[in-house]
């Protein structure tokens, strides 16, 4: 018969420094005793309801994982074999899914399989094989696939689009892969990752397929798309969303410009460039650009021509008030997501396959979205002004 749990002995053990959880933890013994007592009660109830003669027939032992530790559970048996325990079923080896949730939580923070194993051993007193950790994290894959195909809202006032590169093993060698990230601001002003796509290289053609996917999943209109200066990107967007206004990232443009300015001139050039992108109006910005051209055009014609050729999409933000400008003049919002991705993947170097990369990024997205519970600052004002600038395009989704 199962012995009683001795609370006085448990208190003494704690006072002596024994762990509460873990392989030899005090609570582990309590959970073992309670589980075995409950199983015995189940068997006795079963025998009392049996129509045919039956009786107890000893017990069998199996290792069970619990939230407090690993222990050997004695499961009672009956002579006829008709007893089906409910607390811990015949093939069940875990009392709860808490360990799986702990593994997924640590995985989503970018911890390596080795570190996860060490923490699980410290917490629960059990050694978790790499294969088990991989099997647990693989549970994210079907969830990821469903998330990638989920229906989306019909209208998004603002969407930021950007890409990030990783090394992934394919056909025995590591090659560079591109993860396309789409971050949307919904009608309530809350951030939402709309999609996560993987391709071998970044280009307008693949962005076209990504945008087609958005359209197929229900997106009918995007007011403003904030993007980097990838050639052909604006045209790809216009193909699917012809009314969308394009805002090229000012920060990307500045970085790319400074690559072609001699280091001895960079400080002076930046001082003359600031009046262009910080101007109060588009007209003032164009006058500053003319002055920049007059002073530096002969030395850096490539840079000046780049600003002029892209000016239509670089200058879109000037028409809006300051609080809207701050949101759209750069792709910082989606780059912040990529910074979180880099934190997760910085210890990985490269990935053995595409799924191993995508499931980690998806785990990171789940963590990030938990914090996106509130609309961005001044969203009510921004939305009312966007409804005026884009007259009629939000009427079907605004409750007015």
């Amino acid at each position: 018969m199962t012995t009683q749990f001795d609370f006085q002995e448990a208190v003494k053990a704690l006072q002596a420094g024994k762990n509460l959880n873990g392989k030899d933890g005090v609570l582990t013994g309590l959970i073992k005793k309670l589980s075995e007592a409950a199983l015995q009660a189940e068997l006795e109830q079963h025998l009392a309801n049996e129509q045919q003669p039956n009786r107890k027939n000893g017990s069998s032992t199996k290792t069970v994982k619990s939230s407090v530790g690993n222990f050997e559970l004695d499961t009672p048996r009956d002579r006829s074999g008709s007893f089906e325990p409910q607390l811990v079923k015949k093939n069940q080896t875990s009392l709860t899914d808490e360990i799986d949730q702990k593994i997924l939580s640590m995985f989503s923070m970018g911890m390596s399989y080795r570190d996860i194993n060490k923490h699980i051993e410290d917490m629960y007193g059990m050694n978790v094989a790499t294969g088990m950790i991989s099997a647990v994290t693989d549970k994210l894959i079907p969830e990821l696939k469903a998330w990638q195909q989920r229906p989306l809202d019909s209208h998004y006032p603002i969407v930021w689009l950007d890409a990030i590169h990783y090394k992934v093993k394919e056909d025995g060698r590591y090659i560079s892969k591109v993860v396309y990230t789409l971050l949307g601001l919904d009608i309530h002003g809350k951030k939402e990752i709309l999609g996560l796509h993987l391709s071998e290289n970044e280009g307008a053609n693949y962005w076209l397929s990504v945008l087609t996917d958005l359209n197929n999943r229900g997106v009918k209109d995007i007011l403003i798309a904030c993007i980097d200066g990838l050639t052909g990107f604006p045209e790809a967007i216009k193909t699917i969303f012809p009314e969308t206004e394009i805002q090229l990232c000012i920060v990307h443009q500045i970085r790319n410009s400074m690559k072609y300015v001699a280091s001895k001139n960079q400080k002076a050039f930046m001082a003359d460039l600031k009046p262009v992108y910080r101007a109060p109006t588009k007209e003032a910005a164009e006058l500053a650009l003319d002055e920049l051209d007059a002073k530096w055009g002969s030395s850096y014609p490539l840079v000046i021509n780049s600003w002029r050729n892209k000016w239509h999409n670089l200058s879109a933000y000037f028409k809006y008030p300051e609080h809207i400008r701050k949101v759209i003049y750069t792709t910082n919002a989606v780059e912040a997501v990529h910074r979180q991705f880099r934190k997760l993947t910085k210890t990985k170097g490269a990935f053995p396959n595409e799924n191993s990369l995508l499931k980690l990024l998806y785990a990171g997205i789940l963590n990030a979205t938990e914090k996106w519970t509130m609309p961005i600052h001044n969203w009510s004002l921004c939305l009312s002004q966007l409804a005026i600038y884009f007259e009629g395009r939000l009427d079907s989704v605004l409750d007015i």
Side-chain angles (χ1 to χ4, degrees):
M1 183 175 175
T2 304
T3 57
Q4 296 295 314
F5 182 80
D6 193 326
F7 284 95
Q8 290 186 343
E9 287 298 320
V11 172
K12 289 179 182 178
L14 287 173
Q15 290 173 338
K18 190 173 181 179
N19 289 333
L20 190 66
N21 299 336
K23 183 178 180 180
D24 300 313
V26 174
L27 272 184
T28 308
L30 173 59
I31 297 298
K32 171 180 167 65
K33 299 300 181 185
L34 289 174
S35 300
E36 290 176 348
L39 289 172
Q40 287 289 346
E42 279 190 41
L43 176 59
E44 290 171 4
Q45 181 67 35
H46 173 74
L47 295 176
N49 294 333
E50 280 276 81
Q51 301 297 320
Q52 302 295 326
N54 197 2
R55 59 188 176 85
K56 295 179 181 180
N57 189 33
S59 64
S60 59
T61 302
K62 63 177 177 181
T63 302
V64 173
K65 303 165 189 174
S66 79
S67 60
V68 295
N70 225 22
F71 60 85
E72 297 296 318
L73 181 70
D74 292 330
T75 304
R77 298 178 301 193
D78 64 326
R79 175 64 68 178
S80 69
S82 59
F83 175 53
E84 292 284 349
Q86 297 302 304
L87 176 66
V88 185
K89 295 181 171 59
K90 284 188 175 179
N91 295 316
Q92 184 180 340
T93 59
S94 178
L95 285 182
T96 71
D97 64 354
E98 182 172 342
I99 294 171
D100 286 6
Q101 293 303 318
K102 291 287 186 184
I103 289 173
L104 289 174
S105 176
M106 289 184 283
F107 177 72
S108 70
M109 292 186 289
M111 292 178 63
S112 67
Y113 282 9
R114 180 182 297 178
D115 288 339
I116 291 174
N117 182 29
K118 184 177 184 305
H119 279 272
I120 292 294
E121 188 169 14
D122 290 344
M123 287 187 292
Y124 301 115
M126 66 179 70
N127 187 282
V128 182
T130 298
M132 177 185 170
I133 297 175
S134 183
V136 170
T137 57
D138 279 350
K139 293 178 180 179
L140 289 173
I141 295 174
E143 186 179 328
L144 164 65
K145 300 299 183 187
W147 175 83
Q148 287 178 314
Q149 298 168 20
R150 77 196 189 282
L152 297 172
D153 293 346
S154 61
H155 292 67
Y156 286 90
I158 302 169
V159 174
W160 298 268
L161 306 96
D162 200 11
I164 185 171
H165 298 254
Y166 289 101
K167 292 290 185 182
V168 178
K169 193 172 185 179
E170 188 174 281
D171 298 328
R173 62 189 182 93
Y174 286 96
I175 63 173
S176 182
K177 294 271 188 175
V178 183
V179 174
Y180 293 77
T181 310
L182 299 94
L183 175 66
L185 201 64
D186 67 17
I187 204 69
H188 306 292
K190 296 180 182 179
K191 294 177 183 176
E192 176 188 357
I193 300 288
L194 307 182
L196 201 64
H197 302 261
L198 196 63
S199 174
E200 286 194 9
N201 45 56
E202 185 178 7
N205 286 339
Y206 193 80
W207 272 117
L208 183 60
S209 69
V210 170
L211 292 162
T212 301
D213 176 70
L214 280 192
N215 189 231
N216 291 339
R217 289 161 56 206
V219 180
K220 302 307 177 188
D221 196 7
I222 296 170
L223 299 187
I224 305 171
C226 308
I227 63 175
D228 62 18
L230 180 69
T231 302
F233 203 170
E235 292 75 15
I237 294 172
K238 291 290 187 181
T239 301
I240 307 300
F241 301 104
E243 295 186 277
T244 295
E245 185 169 83
I246 307 298
Q247 172 62 56
L248 292 183
C249 176
I250 296 296
V251 174
H252 273 86
Q253 180 68 13
I254 293 170
R255 286 180 194 154
N256 291 335
S257 297
M258 299 312 292
K259 291 178 184 178
Y260 301 98
V261 177
S263 56
K264 65 179 181 180
N265 294 328
Q266 286 186 357
K267 186 174 181 180
F269 187 90
M270 274 299 301
D272 293 331
L273 182 59
K274 281 183 182 178
V276 177
Y277 62 87
R278 289 188 175 177
T281 64
K282 184 177 180 180
E283 291 73 20
E286 288 172 345
L287 287 174
L289 183 57
D290 289 339
E291 293 174 5
L292 185 75
D293 190 356
K295 182 174 181 179
W296 298 99
S298 59
S299 300
Y300 305 111
L302 186 67
V303 174
I304 302 301
N305 288 339
S306 175
W307 280 84
R308 290 201 181 280
N309 293 337
K310 298 176 181 177
W311 186 246
H312 176 69
N313 291 326
L314 283 169
S315 61
Y317 71 108
F318 283 114
K319 72 174 71 171
Y320 302 108
E322 184 65 21
H323 45 273
I324 296 181
R325 288 190 191 189
K326 287 182 179 180
V327 178
I328 67 172
Y329 86 101
T330 176
T331 55
N332 273 353
V334 68
E335 288 182 31
V337 174
H338 285 171
R339 284 194 291 273
Q340 293 300 313
F341 285 173
R342 289 188 183 97
K343 286 182 181 179
L344 292 177
T345 59
K346 64 182 178 181
T347 61
K348 303 296 187 291
F351 292 84
N353 52 60
E354 292 184 358
N355 277 342
S356 64
L357 169 60
L358 288 174
K359 71 182 180 182
L360 178 56
L361 298 184
Y362 177 63
I365 288 172
L366 294 179
N367 265 357
T369 52
E370 287 181 358
K371 303 172 185 177
W372 295 342
T373 57
M374 300 296 292
I376 65 169
H377 185 60
N378 275 337
W379 176 244
S380 295
L381 180 59
C382 288
L383 183 61
S384 62
Q385 292 173 339
L386 288 172
I388 296 171
Y389 284 112
F390 297 92
E391 186 177 359
R393 288 173 58 185
L394 294 178
D395 288 355
S396 62
V397 292
L398 291 179
D399 187 20
I400 54 176

